[in-house]
Amino acid sequence: MKILIIASQSRYEKFMPEDGIARRCKLVYRPVGTANAELLEAAGDADVILADAIATVDADLIAQMPNLRLIHSEGAAYDRIDGEAARGRGIYVCNNQGANAQAVAEQALMLMLGLLRFVEEGHRAVLDGRQIDLKEAKMVSGITELRDCTVGLVGFGNIAKQTALLLRAFGANCLYYSPHRKDGETEAQYHVGYRSLDALLSQCDIVSLHSAVTPETVGMMNAETLGRMKTGAYLVNTARGDLVDQQALVQALASGHLRGAGLDTLTPEPVTRDNPLVRFAAENPGRILFSPHIGGVTTGCFRRMHSRMWENVAAVANHQRPMCVVNGVR
């Protein structure tokens, strides 16, 4: 089989299984952002595409690859793959659902705790020789424990469920919203209460985003929904930057309506200095805590994700249905 890999060659080589089908395939690597014409010239006859979660696999590329049988996202996200175009030709689109759940949940908790404990501001104060000054100031203004917060999870998939379990360990009150309410057994298992989106936004001290990117969820956190959040609340996003109207978030922070934000992801990527949230953070230290979209890129995650990808390649080679098909192909 011939496989087009739109991602980092060094990463794929590092996590490639020692044995199995990967060693028997012809692999063609191209970086994210490579034009379709170059991809087709290099591997237009490929049977499989393995793609970084931020790589675009559009209908035009799919239409010109006659042997294509499988497109696999390296991560959980697959919104940049044209699943409808693939389904029209019977091509499987698969993702790595759940493989990064624990890792991203840990990142979400890190951002929550970092905001509540003023990690970025405190780090700078120690470097500047202002440790005691900041300590005294925070003892007066107040430091909130996570156990004293109500945390709202928007979306309740694998990552949100793991986040709920971690929040339970800290003693936080946890609510969730999803378009379809879960059954009572699931709610009891994860110690969560259901709320409508409006109710969740108005009741929670921290709102954490865990929704997939769809046409309905792009920009879901806009001026209107951010305005419904509790005054002084925090927004945490470890999902995708596309969920947030970034200029609206800047305004919510600038007005003081929101106290802060913890963001593992922005849009577009790569993030540049002229991003409105980056500019705001530079001018307002301590209001935003960033991490560089690393929530789901731990060593354990990549081992699990690459193992599943190559298992799915083997399944397709053996004319079997792969795991985690997301575009309805049977």
Side-chain angles (χ1 to χ4, degrees), residues 177 195-204 224-225 228-230:
Y177 162 77
R195 296 290 188 277
S196 68
L197 181 58
D198 284 352
L200 181 144
L201 295 175
S202 66
Q203 294 174 20
C204 291
E224 182 179 358
T225 47
R228 294 178 195 157
M229 287 179 62
K230 186 176 179 179

Side-chain angles (χ1 to χ4, degrees), residues 81-317:
I81 300 171
D82 194 324
E84 288 297 317
R87 182 166 63 179
R89 288 188 46 208
I91 299 166
Y92 296 111
V93 174
C94 298
N95 75 337
N96 271 304
Q97 176 184 355
N100 64 353
Q102 178 68 25
V104 179
E106 290 180 8
Q107 194 77 10
L109 264 288
M110 183 276 290
L111 291 170
M112 294 177 198
L113 290 168
L115 291 166
L116 293 174
R117 296 304 180 101
F118 307 101
V119 165
E120 192 263 348
E121 189 178 358
H123 176 78
R124 286 186 293 102
V126 173
L127 292 178
D128 294 342
R130 298 182 292 104
Q131 176 250 328
I132 292 298
D133 292 341
L134 185 66
K135 179 179 178 180
E136 293 287 348
K138 295 307 180 187
M139 285 193 288
V140 173
S141 63
I143 299 173
T144 303
E145 296 178 25
L146 190 52
R147 67 180 298 168
D148 293 325
C149 293
T150 296
V151 181
L153 308 176
V154 179
F156 203 64
N158 292 296
I159 294 170
K161 289 174 180 176
Q162 289 301 314
T163 304
L165 293 177
L166 294 180
L167 288 166
R168 171 70 173 176
F170 279 84
N173 180 39
C174 191
L175 306 175
Y176 82 98
Y177 162 77
S178 68
H180 304 287
R181 183 173 182 174
K182 308 304 178 183
D183 58 81
E185 183 178 350
T186 299
E187 292 181 357
Q189 177 184 356
Y190 292 99
H191 307 280
V192 293
Y194 177 81
R195 296 290 188 277
S196 68
L197 181 58
D198 284 352
L200 181 144
L201 295 175
S202 66
Q203 294 174 20
C204 291
D205 304 291
I206 301 170
V207 172
S208 186
L209 304 182
H210 300 279
S211 297
V213 174
T214 67
E216 293 73 31
T217 62
V218 170
M220 65 182 297
M221 299 307 297
N222 51 37
E224 182 179 358
T225 47
L226 291 168
R228 294 178 195 157
M229 287 179 62
K230 186 176 179 179
T231 300
Y234 295 97
L235 179 71
V236 170
N237 186 10
T238 53
R240 289 290 291 274
D242 309 76
L243 300 176
V244 179
D245 179 330
Q246 296 181 141
Q247 194 58 54
L249 179 54
V250 166
Q251 293 300 319
L253 291 165
S255 70
H257 177 63
L258 296 186
R259 188 169 188 179
L263 307 173
D264 187 47
T265 178
L266 299 171
T267 189
E269 290 188 349
V271 179
T272 56
R273 289 182 177 180
D274 62 352
N275 182 287
L277 287 164
V278 172
R279 292 201 310 268
F280 179 85
E283 297 165 1
N284 299 271
R287 300 294 304 284
I288 300 178
L289 180 60
F290 291 118
S291 56
H293 205 170
I294 59 172
V297 298
T298 64
T299 299
C301 279
F302 278 118
R303 285 175 178 157
R304 290 187 292 273
M305 292 188 297
H306 282 240
S307 175
R308 179 182 293 172
M309 283 193 297
W310 290 113
E311 287 178 20
N312 277 345
V313 170
V316 169

